[in-house]
Amino acid sequence: SCFLRHARSRNYASESEVCKLESVPLDFGDYHPLKPITVTESKTKKMNRKESTSSTSSSSSSSVMDPLSSVLDGTDPLSLFAAAADPVTVTATMDGTRRKRDKDDSSAVGSDFEPWLSKRGEILARYTTTEKLSINLYMGSEKGKAATTGSAVSEKVRTRLEELDDLEEGSQKELLNLTQQDYMNRIEELNQSLKDAWSSDQKVKALKIVIQCSKLLSDTTVIQFYPSKFVLITDILDTFGKLVYDRILSMCVDNRVSLPDNFSPESVNDTAKETCLNWFFKIASIRELIPRFYVEAAILKCNKFLSKMGISECLPRLTSMIRGIGDPLVAVYARAYLCRVGMEVAPQLKESLNKNFFDFLLTFKQIHGDTVQNQLVGQCVEMPLYLTLYSPAIDWILQCIAYHAPEVLLTEMMERCKKLGNNALLLNSIMSAFRAEFIAARSMDFIAMIKECDESGFPKHLLFRSLGLNLALADPPENDRLQILNEAWKVITKLKNPQDYIDCAEVWVEYTCRHFTKREVNTVLADVIKHMTPDRAFEDAYPQLQSIIQKVITYIYDFSLLFSVEKFLPFLDMFQKESVRVEVCKCIMESFIKHQQESTKDPVILNALLHICKTMHDSVNALTLEDEKRMLAALINGFIKMVSFGRDFEQQLSFYVEARSMFCNLEPVLVQLIHSVNQLAMETRKVMKGNHSRKTAAFVRACVAFCFITIPSLSSIFTRLNLYLHSGQVALANQCLSQADAFFKAAVSLVPEVPKMISVDGKMRPSDTFLLEFLCNFFSTLLVVPDHPEQGVLFLVRGLLNVIQDYTWEDNSDDKVRIYTNVLHLLSAMTQEAYIYHVDKVDSNDALYGGDSKFLGEINKLCETVIAQILEHLKTLGKEETLKRQSQLALYFFNTIVAHGDLRNNKLNQLSVNLWNLAQKHGFADTKTMVKTLDYIKRQSQQPEMSHFTDLALRLPLQSRT
């Protein structure tokens, strides 16, 4: 009891002055700690720490050192790297991409060239078949895999030519009636067999496999599968080409030093050259044209070992060989393969690539010849479908030709295309291959050519789609823009097939959004709705419809403008599948949160976005993942924060009430609404400067009531506790005393329900640290809460202490005593004549009781109880295994007495000495802490009113840890 009777009388103002940091005037000059730091590159040759100029603040004064720079002695690691690097290299790296794009340099293929690999998957997915396929395997084993060639290879007597005769005429196994997947599996098996044969040193067998695979490329019996077959077979050819090249390269290793990348034929040894020639002779002996062409093209790179001009001599010869292939489809893919290999090994030899393409143009009329027509009739394939089979090959050839090509080449191509009667297939590939800027500049020319194309061949809408893709990347001349849209849409809107229509419309929506107003966008959206609604065609086109929405909100991100587009919301109604609908709503909300700079009260925006948010909220069910719920809640909260009705606070509260009823299943949204309503109450107080009128007082009580009835619906117990406390503080600040009491009572009654373990970020954690933090915060608030006239002195503090007393604490926990010690801080602050802080226009107990002796007596009784509990607990910690905890708690209690007690009282003085000794008694005290504590007491003793600390310091011995 002596503690409270002798609580130290505090002068908070003078204590605050003493504790303030000493201010030292400094002449900063231009220096400011938040000024951007400029990193300068060191030019010194020696990387001496003192010489290198690192991140230095421009014009920083010598008197003020940057703490980070001083630690690094003037150099930071990044500057060290920068200084060590050659400045020329650094610049080259920085500008590499830009120079690649700007410089018309065709000597090497850069990262801006789309590789074959990126097209491979698209071709395999697009060109499929349900018909049965057949495959011829050389020397197939019982499982269909290529087997060992037995004695055929081992007999050295045979000549190379005989080996190849055997290879071409040897036993074959034909597998019939394969599905597409089976066929692909067999090809993959052949690829593996090739690698196995090579690794087991059966080189001739490997060559046989490659030849057999190449032969498959002459077979067009299932013609619509041919592009995919080409992709699969050329994978094997690529593998073979790499194996041969690596094998010969490994033979060039001299004294463990391999050849550099740009080696010359002179540095290749004779053995390697002999082996290389051997391969070319073997291949030259293949009798059939198609395998001979493909296998030689596959090892084209090996010419580098023989002569500098080898590749440039071979390419024209291989180009001419293709003229001997009769089937135009087979021939065009052979040309595509030659271009593919040519771009890898000699991209600078553009002449050969151009010759290859012009050869194709000369033979183009074959496509419409009788042979092809008869073949199509036999396979029941329509001409438009047949022509699309050419696209991957022609696109690739033209991409190779157009890479870094001057604009004049496009003009030449367009002229040749006109001479061929504006062939649609060719025109489509030209638009796909050349730079978008070149195409966009000639948009009207292309439209004229498209109009003249033959309708029966390649579909016109695909031509407009290709043109639209270019116009999405580059802008056409301004005067032509409307005419271009009109010409394109005339064709697109007449399309009867919904899938064809939506494929084109999706592309042209972006062009419309880029260059036109909401009127044109609205017209386009209306047209899409008209085409896609009959027979629920939209159900098969969700990806394209989603893409359209994405493009619209990318270009029209002013939401008042967006929702004034009449057909935008009806367009959203086409998303009937819930998962897709929710994705679209998320897209729209993300755009709103990203682009909406100012808060809004526009009723059109609010109604539309409430509808969109409601759609997202209603998709939540028992199976929804927590991450998904969090994301949806974050989007809805982002919207709620952006809604403001200005000074119309009642309208704002009505909006929050409506939002609460709409989003009741997402807890983070309810939490946000409670915070928003509390903020609204505080804004009202700010406007009224704390002097509420009858109307504003009623409004604030309505806000408080909103929070009071919303908090119990939350599931997280600490969220509820903190919101009760926070809302109680808001009620108190607005002079709603009975409402504040209700919040604090609710918080007190909720404490017993706190579980031992709670889930934090998906992991179970002990709740005691969270509870301790909450209670300390609560005590700080209770200091200024005035007592209720009918409830008795300190009824809230008593209620909370009873709850803490009855709470089941862990056996090995000292939290209860730490809380009691913190209660002593509160009780000490309550005995002061004037409290350390107050709530404006609310009288706390210091004003209500005015230091009344009965009030202080009640506090004293509480204090006796609390101290008794603390000392009792310290006694129970006397066992050997708990001595360390006893030491820590004793020091904690000692510090409380020193800070809050009046140590001129002998009993209190003696208690503090006993606690000091107990803390050190068993050697568990931290010596550094004890020394610092004693130093603090000695420093305090120098203040006039604290002279009695001198005697105390003499009574506090420091014990060694023995």
Side-chain angles (χ1 to χ4, degrees):
S1 65
C2 56
F3 176 81
L4 248 290
R5 269 194 221 110
H6 301 282
R8 185 156 66 86
S9 181
R10 310 285 288 270
N11 184 336
Y12 291 119
S14 63
E15 281 185 42
S16 176
E17 279 301 315
V18 170
C19 294
K20 272 185 183 172
L21 292 172
E22 187 182 354
S23 58
V24 181
L26 277 176
D27 177 22
F28 282 98
D30 286 343
Y31 173 79
H32 188 278
L34 299 181
K35 194 170 182 179
I37 290 175
T38 53
V39 179
T40 52
E41 223 178 79
S42 171
K43 301 291 178 197
T44 51
K45 286 182 184 174
K46 280 185 183 177
M47 274 317 297
N48 203 337
R49 272 187 178 270
K50 287 179 184 171
E51 288 176 6
S52 93
T53 56
S54 76
S55 50
T56 53
S57 169
S58 49
S59 74
S60 72
S61 127
S62 59
S63 63
V64 182
M65 274 297 289
D66 170 14
L68 298 180
S69 298
S70 61
V71 170
L72 292 162
D73 194 19
T75 52
D76 68 273
L78 299 181
S79 295
L80 286 171
F81 281 127
D86 179 2
V88 180
T89 318
V90 173
T91 316
T93 311
M94 292 284 282
D95 294 340
T97 315
R98 197 181 305 130
R99 285 194 301 133
K100 259 181 204 165
R101 201 169 287 130
D102 296 346
K103 190 177 171 192
D104 186 14
D105 173 20
S106 57
S107 63
V109 174
S111 59
D112 54 344
F113 182 79
E114 190 183 357
W116 173 258
L117 204 62
S118 66
K119 297 178 181 292
R120 184 182 176 281
E122 189 187 331
I123 295 171
L124 288 172
R126 185 176 168 194
Y127 298 97
T128 57
T129 182
T130 52
E131 292 188 36
K132 298 297 181 186
L133 302 155
S134 63
I135 187 170
N136 288 319
L137 293 181
Y138 180 80
M139 298 293 286
S141 69
E142 63 276 5
K143 287 188 182 176
K145 293 185 183 178
T148 55
T149 54
S151 59
V153 183
S154 60
E155 290 184 37
K156 294 180 182 177
V157 191
R158 294 176 183 240
T159 62
R160 186 181 299 113
L161 188 57
E162 284 172 332
E163 278 179 352
L164 287 164
D165 283 344
D166 174 48
L167 178 153
E168 290 192 73
E169 295 163 8
S171 59
Q172 292 186 5
K173 181 176 180 180
E174 186 172 22
L175 299 175
L176 301 169
N177 294 327
L178 297 176
T179 64
Q180 181 182 321
Q181 191 55 50
D182 291 339
Y183 189 92
M184 291 167 80
N185 294 343
R186 295 294 176 186
I187 297 289
E188 184 49 47
E189 284 173 8
L190 282 172
N191 202 352
Q192 192 54 48
S193 300
L194 167 65
K195 291 174 187 171
D196 294 344
W198 191 272
S199 58
S200 58
D201 211 30
Q202 299 179 47
K203 305 292 187 288
V204 172
K205 177 187 170 185
L207 182 57
K208 288 175 182 178
I209 292 170
V210 175
I211 292 171
Q212 286 301 321
C213 289
S214 306
K215 282 183 179 181
L216 295 174
L217 288 173
S218 59
D219 171 28
T220 55
T221 46
V222 182
I223 204 159
Q224 63 268 41
F225 184 63
Y226 192 84
S228 291
K229 184 200 283 189
F230 170 79
V231 167
L232 297 168
I233 302 293
T234 51
D235 283 352
I236 294 177
L237 288 163
D238 292 343
T239 304
F240 177 70
K242 188 175 184 311
L243 290 170
V244 173
Y245 183 82
D246 291 348
R247 164 83 178 129
I248 298 168
L249 189 65
S250 68
M251 297 171 79
C252 301
V253 176
D254 192 24
N255 295 330
R256 294 190 180 178
V257 178
S258 55
L259 288 177
D261 288 341
N262 53 347
F263 65 87
S264 64
E266 290 76 35
S267 54
V268 178
N269 61 44
D270 291 344
T271 314
K273 281 185 178 176
E274 180 66 31
T275 306
C276 187
L277 275 169
N278 194 18
W279 276 109
F280 280 111
F281 289 150
K282 270 181 184 165
I283 291 162
S285 306
I286 300 171
R287 282 188 301 224
E288 286 187 37
L289 172 61
I290 289 177
R292 185 165 75 247
F293 163 79
Y294 271 108
V295 181
E296 183 173 352
I299 67 162
L300 183 67
K301 192 177 180 182
C302 295
N303 278 288
K304 284 170 67 176
F305 297 111
L306 301 176
S307 73
K308 279 186 179 175
M309 303 303 290
I311 292 173
S312 57
E313 287 167 0
C314 271
L315 273 174
R317 178 171 55 76
L318 289 169
T319 303
S320 301
M321 277 171 71
I322 298 172
R323 293 174 182 172
I325 299 175
D327 189 312
L329 186 66
V330 177
V332 79
Y333 275 95
R335 294 184 193 285
Y337 187 65
L338 189 59
C339 283
R340 189 170 126 197
V341 176
M343 281 303 277
E344 276 177 36
V345 300
Q348 70 279 10
L349 298 175
K350 281 285 180 69
E351 283 305 309
S352 296
L353 299 180
N354 293 354
K355 180 173 179 275
N356 192 358
F357 184 67
F358 295 141
D359 267 10
F360 162 70
L361 293 183
L362 291 171
T363 58
F364 194 78
K365 56 182 179 289
Q366 279 182 292
I367 291 176
H368 300 284
D370 292 343
T371 315
V372 171
Q373 296 295 338
N374 294 338
Q375 188 183 15
L376 296 185
V377 171
Q379 294 197 37
C380 302
V381 173
E382 299 288 329
M383 181 53 91
L385 173 62
Y386 176 66
L387 288 177
T388 58
L389 302 178
Y390 284 80
S391 288
I394 302 174
D395 287 353
W396 178 259
I397 295 168
L398 274 167
Q399 182 187 321
C400 297
I401 292 171
Y403 182 63
H404 285 172
E407 205 166 345
V408 73
L409 182 64
L410 174 59
T411 314
E412 186 185 343
M413 288 291 178
M414 289 172 75
E415 288 305 317
R416 284 180 178 263
C417 194
K418 283 175 186 170
K419 283 179 187 170
L420 284 169
N422 286 333
N423 183 273
L425 172 64
L426 191 56
L427 194 57
N428 189 58
S429 293
I430 289 171
M431 287 191 287
S432 302
F434 281 87
R435 279 173 58 183
E437 293 83 359
F438 295 172
I439 305 293
R442 296 170 171 73
S443 297
M444 290 310 296
D445 296 340
F446 276 105
I447 285 176
M449 291 169 76
I450 291 170
K451 283 161 98 175
E452 290 172 23
C453 284
D454 180 13
E455 189 66 72
S456 64
F458 196 86
K460 259 188 198 179
H461 68 87
L462 290 182
L463 296 175
F464 274 107
R465 186 176 189 278
S466 297
L467 180 61
L469 287 169
N470 281 293
L471 296 179
L473 299 170
D475 299 335
E478 199 165 337
N479 299 336
D480 296 340
R481 288 175 186 174
L482 185 57
Q483 194 181 347
I484 290 168
L485 180 62
N486 288 335
E487 293 290 351
W489 210 261
K490 253 189 259 176
V491 175
I492 296 167
T493 196
K494 286 178 187 166
L495 293 170
K496 297 283 186 284
N497 183 321
Q499 203 57 47
D500 291 345
Y501 171 83
I502 198 67
D503 284 343
C504 287
E506 176 204 352
V507 172
W508 280 88
V509 162
E510 183 162 5
Y511 174 76
T512 313
C513 293
R514 265 172 84 115
H515 301 299
F516 299 100
T517 63
K518 69 170 191 177
R519 182 171 150 266
E520 287 81 5
V521 174
N522 192 52
T523 307
V524 169
L525 293 182
D527 197 57
V528 174
I529 294 169
K530 186 176 118 190
H531 277 79
M532 301 309 292
T533 309
D535 302 325
R536 297 177 72 84
F538 53 75
E539 290 182 344
D540 300 320
Y542 284 138
Q544 292 92 331
L545 294 173
Q546 269 180 281
S547 172
I548 288 173
I549 288 284
Q550 189 67 59
K551 283 165 183 170
V552 170
I553 59 179
T554 301
Y555 289 97
I556 308 178
Y557 44 77
D558 175 352
F559 274 70
S560 55
L561 185 64
L562 179 67
F563 290 127
S564 67
V565 175
E566 195 185 324
K567 293 293 178 182
F568 183 74
L569 290 175
F571 191 94
L572 289 184
D573 291 337
M574 285 198 290
F575 295 99
Q576 303 274 310
K577 189 178 176 186
E578 189 185 53
S579 58
V580 182
R581 193 180 179 85
V582 171
E583 280 305 313
V584 171
C585 291
K586 277 157 69 175
C587 255
I588 295 168
M589 291 313 300
E590 280 165 8
S591 176
F592 176 78
I593 290 164
K594 182 180 176 185
H595 293 113
Q596 188 74 19
Q597 299 297 324
E598 296 172 356
S599 51
T600 181
K601 61 176 181 179
D602 183 332
V604 176
I605 294 180
L606 296 191
N607 288 330
L609 290 183
L610 273 173
H611 171 67
I612 286 168
C613 289
K614 179 80 173 128
T615 303
M616 295 196 302
H617 169 270
D618 292 350
S619 70
V620 173
N621 56 39
L623 301 176
T624 308
L625 298 173
E626 285 303 317
D627 277 355
E628 177 72 5
K629 285 184 191 173
R630 261 198 297 274
M631 182 189 281
L632 295 176
L635 292 172
I636 295 171
N637 284 346
F639 163 60
I640 289 169
K641 288 176 192 170
M642 292 308 294
V643 176
S644 171
F645 290 90
R647 294 290 283 269
D648 189 349
F649 290 168
E650 289 181 347
Q651 182 70 40
Q652 187 83 32
L653 183 59
S654 298
F655 169 76
Y656 291 144
V657 171
E658 186 185 357
R660 180 179 63 186
S661 65
M662 291 175 85
F663 309 127
C664 54
N665 289 336
L666 287 172
E667 194 159 302
V669 178
L670 294 178
V671 172
Q672 176 60 46
L673 288 169
I674 292 166
H675 283 308
S676 297
V677 170
N678 277 329
Q679 189 179 353
L680 191 60
M682 293 308 287
E683 279 178 22
T684 310
R685 177 180 182 272
K686 186 179 175 185
V687 169
M688 300 303 291
K689 296 180 180 167
N691 300 309
H692 284 299
S693 65
R694 184 178 292 177
K695 186 179 176 186
T696 59
F699 175 75
V700 166
R701 284 198 293 275
C703 291
V704 169
F706 175 99
C707 297
F708 192 74
I709 61 173
T710 309
I711 294 171
S713 62
L714 304 175
S715 61
S716 166
I717 194 156
F718 278 103
T719 304
R720 273 186 282 160
L721 281 171
N722 286 312
L723 284 173
Y724 274 134
L725 178 57
H726 180 63
S727 303
Q729 290 165 345
V730 170
L732 196 61
N734 283 285
Q735 300 129 51
C736 303
L737 302 184
S738 58
Q739 285 86 349
D741 278 353
F743 278 116
F744 297 140
K745 280 182 190 170
V748 169
S749 61
L750 193 58
V751 169
E753 294 176 28
V754 174
K756 294 288 172 287
M757 305 290 283
I758 55 166
S759 175
V760 180
D761 296 331
K763 293 179 182 172
M764 296 308 288
R765 299 269 167 83
S767 63
D768 46 8
T769 50
F770 297 97
L771 184 57
L772 194 60
E773 183 187 346
F774 167 75
L775 290 173
C776 289
N777 196 352
F778 199 0
F779 292 144
S780 303
T781 304
L782 290 179
L783 174 65
V784 291
V785 178
D787 279 346
H788 192 284
E790 296 168 11
Q791 298 279 1
V793 177
L794 302 181
F795 75 102
L796 281 171
V797 178
R798 290 175 191 279
L800 189 53
L801 284 173
N802 289 336
V803 164
I804 293 166
Q805 175 67 28
D806 297 339
Y807 187 78
T808 314
W809 299 91
E810 293 288 339
D811 292 338
N812 59 349
S813 167
D814 299 320
D815 288 332
K816 183 175 177 180
V817 173
R818 289 182 186 278
I819 291 167
Y820 281 152
T821 313
N822 287 336
V823 170
L824 290 178
H825 303 169
L826 168 66
L827 295 174
S828 167
M830 282 181 159
T831 62
Q832 305 301 321
E833 281 184 31
Y835 289 173
I836 187 169
Y837 47 81
H838 293 89
V839 176
D840 190 31
K841 297 188 173 56
V842 173
D843 288 333
S844 297
N845 286 340
D846 56 342
L848 292 179
Y849 292 109
D852 180 72
S853 58
K854 285 184 182 176
F855 172 66
L856 294 176
E858 288 295 328
I859 294 177
N860 205 28
K861 283 180 193 169
L862 270 180
C863 187
E864 284 179 15
T865 313
V866 170
I867 290 180
Q869 291 276 353
I870 294 171
L871 295 175
E872 185 62 35
H873 186 78
L874 280 171
K875 276 183 193 172
T876 63
L877 296 178
K879 296 172 190 169
E880 194 172 337
E881 63 273 16
T882 54
L883 290 175
K884 186 173 183 180
R885 283 164 55 198
Q886 186 189 52
S887 166
Q888 290 170 342
L889 278 181
L891 186 61
Y892 189 52
F893 190 21
F894 171 83
N895 286 332
T896 296
I897 292 174
V898 168
H900 299 279
D902 185 353
L903 291 167
R904 282 175 291 206
N905 174 273
N906 290 336
K907 283 186 178 178
L908 200 55
N909 202 308
Q910 187 56 50
L911 176 60
S912 64
V913 172
N914 292 346
L915 287 169
W916 175 267
N917 292 331
L918 181 62
Q920 297 186 97
K921 187 174 180 182
H922 300 286
F924 285 106
D926 178 43
T927 311
K928 279 185 183 176
T929 307
M930 302 304 278
V931 169
K932 282 182 181 176
T933 307
L934 196 53
D935 284 347
Y936 166 78
I937 291 169
K938 286 173 181 174
R939 275 202 313 278
Q940 289 292 90
S941 68
Q942 291 165 11
Q943 294 179 32
E945 70 276 13
M946 306 290 273
S947 55
H948 57 283
F949 269 38
T950 311
D951 295 335
L952 177 67
L954 295 172
R955 298 180 65 198
L956 300 178
L958 278 174
Q959 293 176 5
S960 61
R961 281 184 135 195
T962 52

